[in-house]
């Protein structure tokens, strides 16, 4: 079987690498940045199944995919819904998942209305093309309305009530063509300046009720869309529950720990799902795992090469400030063992975010 992935970044590469033992599946990657219509048409024609490593696919390419929707997994619907934060929030609500109260904003007047109806603070976001905290503006006073609209507006926005969260988490699942679902354990995700810096399994001090709720949420979401592949739900943990923030119709940075950390990774299960194979187990192989991102420079990751329970992944990208260049997975038979190794790799972290607060 021939599988084509739209996007040849690290996610596409890790998808490809996850099933190199399955010799009857050939995977090729399409460089979205070097797109031309003919090249894409030829790429689609030669594959049996088409998938994508990113939901940020330009509209002209999405248009071209319409005629090949039968090859796409996850489907075109999922791609379109999760490209747009308003459609995404509605999909979360439809699947019975709690979200922040939100309003569509198409004018400065709508900003004022949102301030009146939602109260402050408000997190304003562009409905499309935002990632790593870009295209966002936090309104704290009514006077912020105009600068917010001027800075990120003059296009469709979503205004969200501010969620007073304790921490950020995510849950990842894979759903196969027959509707079977496997769910990965939740992680706590710690960000700095809008970029994920590390994820922890298990999420420290996570209650069983919340773990169960997250699992129910992602099952409901995947089922509601008849989804095929790996899907990620980012959740704010609040005092009394979980609030859905964002969905990625794909493998996610907070699931990279699964390469070493679970029986079958998020990447492998995506490939198994879309090729019609049975899913692998999401059972953790270690008591404790951390995934540390390598951001901006590779040097602090080099030490991982000399540490037995640290696994360095380098994406082969040119160093640039704030750019994700790789990640390091640290495994342990206990949190203490894992954390001792993370402490050896502390140069990977900006000051003040390690150890975790929970
Ligand atoms: P997003 O791109 O939606 O993941 O948002 C980026 C970051 O902004 C999140 O990781 C949160 O830290 C913060 N954020 C986004 N939406 C909200 C919200 N409604 N309330 C509080 N913080 C938010």
């Amino acid at each position: 079987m021939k599988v084509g992935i739209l996007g040849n970044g690290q996610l596409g590469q890790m998808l490809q690498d996850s099933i190199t033992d399955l010799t009857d599946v050939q995977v090729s990657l399409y460089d979205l940045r070097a797109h031309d219509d003919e090249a894409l048409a030829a790429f689609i024609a030669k594959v049996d199944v088409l998938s994508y490593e990113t939901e940020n696919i330009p509209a002209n390419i999405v248009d071209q995919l319409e005629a090949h929707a039968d090859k796409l997994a996850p489907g075109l619907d999922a791609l379109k819904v999760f490209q747009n934060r308003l459609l995404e929030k509605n999909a979360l609500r439809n699947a019975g998942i709690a979200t922040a109260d939100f309003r569509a904003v198409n004018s400065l007047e709508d900003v004022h209305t949102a301030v009146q109806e939602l109260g402050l603070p408000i997190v304003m976001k562009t409905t499309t093309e935002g990632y790593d905290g870009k295209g966002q503006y936090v309104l704290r006073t009514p006077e912020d309305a105009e600068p917010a609209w001027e800075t990120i507006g003059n296009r469709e926005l979503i205004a969200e009530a501010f969620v007073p969260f304790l921490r950020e988490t995510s849950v990842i699942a894979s759903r196969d063509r027959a509707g079977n679902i496997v769910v990965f354990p939740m992680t706590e995700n710690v960000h700095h300046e809008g970029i994920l810096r590390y994820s922890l399994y298990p999420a420290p001090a996570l209650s069983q009720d919340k773990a169960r709720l997250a699992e129910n949420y992602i099952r409901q979401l995947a089922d509601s869309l008849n989804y095929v592949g790996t899907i990620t739900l980012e959740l704010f943990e609040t005092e009394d529950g979980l609030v859905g923030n964002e969905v990625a119709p794909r493998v996610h940075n907070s699931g990279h720990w699964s390469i070493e950390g679970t029986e079958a990774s998020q990447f492998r299960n995506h490939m198994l799902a879309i090729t019609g194979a049975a899913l692998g187990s999401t059972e953790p192989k270690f008591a404790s795992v951390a995934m540390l991102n390598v951001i901006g420079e590779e040097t602090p990751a080099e030490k991982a090469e000399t540490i037995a329970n640290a696994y360095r992944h380098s994406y082969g990208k040119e160093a640039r400030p704030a750019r994700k260049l790789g990640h390091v997975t640290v495994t342990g038979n206990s949190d203490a063992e894992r954390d001792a190794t993370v402490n050896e790799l502390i140069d990977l972290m900006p000051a003040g975010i390690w150890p975790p607060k929970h």
Side-chain angles (χ1 to χ4, degrees), residues 85 89 100 123 125 130-134 136 160-165 168 191 194 234 236 245-246:
R85 289 183 191 273
K89 281 281 189 302
V123 184
K125 306 174 183 177
Y131 65 94
D132 287 349
K134 295 188 178 71
Q136 299 202 10
E160 295 179 17
F162 189 87
V163 179
F165 59 82
E168 299 188 64
H191 299 81
E234 293 185 64
F236 295 131
N245 175 39
E246 212 181 8

Side-chain angles (χ1 to χ4, degrees), residues 110-295:
D110 288 349
V111 184
H112 291 303
T113 308
V115 169
Q116 266 161 23
E117 293 182 1
L118 301 177
L120 289 165
I122 280 176
V123 184
M124 198 95 89
K125 306 174 183 177
T126 57
T127 53
T128 58
E129 291 163 4
Y131 65 94
D132 287 349
K134 295 188 178 71
Q136 299 202 10
Y137 202 105
V138 180
L139 284 75
R140 298 186 189 281
T141 70
E143 289 71 44
D144 289 336
E146 211 158 330
W149 179 250
E150 290 307 319
T151 308
I152 62 164
N154 293 304
R155 59 186 286 179
E156 189 181 50
L157 303 176
I158 178 172
E160 295 179 17
F162 189 87
V163 179
F165 59 82
L166 302 171
R167 61 175 169 180
E168 299 188 64
T169 67
S170 58
V171 61
I172 299 176
S174 307
R175 187 174 183 276
D176 72 13
R177 290 185 183 273
N180 300 302
I181 298 179
V182 290
V183 181
F184 291 87
M186 278 171 92
T187 56
E188 172 174 345
N189 305 324
V190 176
H191 299 81
H192 179 75
E193 293 175 352
I195 299 174
L196 179 68
R197 297 308 295 236
Y198 66 89
S199 293
L200 296 178
Y201 161 77
L206 180 71
S207 75
Q208 279 197 354
D209 283 354
K210 284 176 179 168
R212 244 191 315 267
L213 180 61
E215 175 162 350
N216 289 341
Y217 274 174
I218 193 131
R219 285 178 179 275
Q220 288 158 219
L221 181 66
D223 282 340
S224 73
L225 296 157
N226 199 17
Y227 191 90
V228 175
T230 294
I231 185 167
T232 306
L233 172 60
E234 293 185 64
L235 294 158
F236 295 131
E237 182 177 350
T238 57
E239 212 53 73
D240 50 0
L242 297 169
V243 176
N245 175 39
E246 212 181 8
V247 178
R250 56 172 167 81
V251 291
H252 191 259
N253 196 170
S254 63
H256 291 2
W257 69 279
S258 65
I259 296 175
E260 288 83 14
T262 60
E263 294 289 339
S265 73
Q266 60 164 350
F267 301 99
R268 188 173 175 89
N269 272 331
H270 182 78
M271 299 306 286
L272 294 173
I274 67 172
T275 55
L279 298 171
S281 165
T282 56
E283 199 56 32
K285 299 201 300 197
F286 303 91
S288 186
V289 184
M291 188 288 308
L292 319 179
N293 267 339
V294 180
I295 309 286

